[in-house]
Amino acid sequence: MTGDDTKHLPLEDLHTAAGARFGAFAGWSMPLTYPAGVMKEHLHTREHAGLFDISHMKLFAVSEPGAAALLNRASPLDAGALEISQSKYTFFLNEAAGIIDDLIVTRLGAERFMVVANAGNAVEDEKHLRALAGDFDVKVDALDRVFLAIQGPEAWAALSRAGIETGSLLFMHGIEPKQNWFMSRSGYTGEDGFEIGLPEADARALVTKLLEDERVLWIGLAARDSLRLEAGLCLHGQDITPEIDPASAGLMWAIPKDLRASGSFIGADALRSILERGPSQKRVGLKPDGRQPVRAGAALFHADGNPAGLVTSGGFGPSAGHPVAMGYVSTALANPGTKLFADVRGTKIPVDISSVPFTPHRYRKG
């Protein structure tokens, strides 16, 4: 990708002023780290509140009478069964049940839903939705918003001090607190956290207020990655791709049981046949021995040297205190305690299959 094609965050000047080091991610120039560094940023999020600019992600409003029917066709979701303000983790699947993208869908009204899509897939997701929308009485609006996330045990208190009350917003719910604002409570770090989509001028004012609070620190993409990996959460393009189905990815919990049997979403038949015969591979947590991180792309082997799978995400887990990784192994091996080896530049690193998350989730569910 040439530099000319790189997209820039609306608040890039604020990140530059904060001393961000930038790098390319999904076609965007993104802050990777700030002067505190990845270790401090990670631990600060777990202990206090981390502020993330996630404006590379895309918000779509889906409205009109056919909105629920469109989403039910595009995703293994019963959109009509969601309560107002309830959010649900789901996917767009292809006909082979491969994951085009993972999403969070929130019901905002009888005929109004918000879809949050990933950066690398925003263009494809929009094309996919618009192509399907032709068959429904529906309107799809790609919203132009700055999108911020504030994560960590003090996130709610920092927002409250900045004049934004969060008390009535429960985990996996979303609301429109004022015109052109969308606010949800989910969290890609395993911590209690909030996501706020809002116009740029409002975002600049909010960021200024939040950063006046010593509990709040800008957090870059590097710590976002180590936080989500410790939480055992998937990154689209690595841990889930159009070649990987929800059963192999260990994500069937996101698909209601009745839809597995009788849903007419895209990929339903393929998914049913995968479930009938059982997936041939499964996503697992991986705990390398020692201090050497095992990164995405490393091959996994049995003790006898036969191939056993592939690492899809890996790094050091600052809160866990040891390297953490995820990957895919053949289903027969997918049991905690199974011992394998990862090839790291020719060195065989012993790796144990581990349950995830590596760090307990601390979402505020009640």
Side-chain angles (χ1 to χ4, degrees), residues 274-308:
I274 290 164
L275 290 170
E276 272 165 32
R277 64 175 186 266
S280 59
Q281 56 168 3
K282 284 213 164 145
R283 177 174 64 96
V284 292
L286 301 164
K287 183 178 181 294
D289 274 7
R291 307 290 288 174
Q292 167 77 48
V294 171
R295 302 199 183 274
L300 295 168
F301 296 92
H302 295 274
D304 61 10
N306 283 323

Side-chain angles (χ1 to χ4, degrees), residues 95-344:
E95 290 292 358
I99 300 172
I100 297 172
D101 201 2
D102 62 334
L103 321 147
I104 291 183
V105 175
T106 304
R107 188 174 199 173
L108 294 170
E111 298 175 353
R112 182 172 166 78
F113 296 84
M114 189 70 78
V115 178
V116 178
N118 290 307
N121 297 67
V123 174
E124 289 85 351
D125 289 348
E126 185 170 358
K127 275 188 199 148
H128 183 67
L129 258 187
R130 290 197 190 283
L132 293 175
D135 298 333
F136 299 90
D137 176 10
V138 69
K139 191 160 166 278
V140 176
D141 294 306
L143 304 181
D144 182 20
R145 300 281 184 273
V146 169
F147 202 29
L148 302 170
I150 180 164
Q151 306 277 308
E154 294 180 337
W156 68 273
L159 283 172
S160 176
R161 185 186 283 183
I164 296 173
E165 284 310 322
T166 61
S168 61
L169 188 61
L170 299 173
F171 177 68
M172 287 306 281
H173 282 71
I175 53 172
E176 292 179 294
K178 50 181 96 171
Q179 194 171 1
N180 295 329
W181 282 48
F182 170 68
M183 181 164 149
S184 57
R185 188 171 198 165
S186 59
Y188 191 53
T189 56
E191 301 296 327
D192 184 30
F194 302 85
E195 301 76 34
I196 307 172
L198 69 177
E200 184 182 333
D202 293 354
R204 287 178 178 273
L206 178 58
V207 163
T208 302
K209 273 189 197 160
L210 286 171
L211 292 174
E212 284 167 359
D213 191 323
E214 69 286 347
R215 294 172 292 193
V216 180
L217 200 63
W218 272 126
I219 310 294
L221 215 55
R224 182 171 166 82
D225 199 50
S226 58
L227 288 158
R228 68 94 195 162
L229 184 50
E230 283 186 345
L233 301 172
C234 293
L235 177 62
H236 195 277
Q238 286 187 207
D239 309 298
I240 43 179
T241 69
E243 285 72 54
I244 293 172
D245 63 87
S248 305
L251 297 172
M252 288 306 296
W253 56 266
I255 304 181
K257 285 204 169 56
D258 55 334
L259 288 188
R260 296 178 201 183
S262 60
S264 57
F265 54 90
I266 293 171
D269 292 341
L271 186 58
R272 279 192 269 277
S273 63
I274 290 164
L275 290 170
E276 272 165 32
R277 64 175 186 266
S280 59
Q281 56 168 3
K282 284 213 164 145
R283 177 174 64 96
V284 292
L286 301 164
K287 183 178 181 294
D289 274 7
R291 307 290 288 174
Q292 167 77 48
V294 171
R295 302 199 183 274
L300 295 168
F301 296 92
H302 295 274
D304 61 10
N306 283 323
L310 186 72
V311 177
T312 51
S313 277
F316 189 77
S319 306
H322 55 75
V324 292
M326 291 194 297
Y328 283 82
V329 297
S330 55
T331 302
L333 299 174
N335 303 304
T338 300
K339 294 191 180 304
L340 299 172
F341 293 86
D343 183 350
V344 177

Side-chain angles (χ1 to χ4, degrees), residues 8-54:
H8 292 267
L9 299 171
L11 305 184
E12 185 174 73
D13 57 309
L14 300 185
H15 301 297
T16 302
R21 190 169 66 78
F22 289 86
F25 176 76
W28 289 77
S29 173
M30 295 291 294
L32 300 182
T33 56
Y34 297 86
V38 62
M39 191 76 120
K40 276 209 175 92
E41 291 172 37
H42 176 113
L43 295 172
H44 187 92
T45 305
R46 291 256 184 264
E47 289 158 19
H48 304 289
L51 181 61
F52 302 76
D53 189 338
I54 53 171

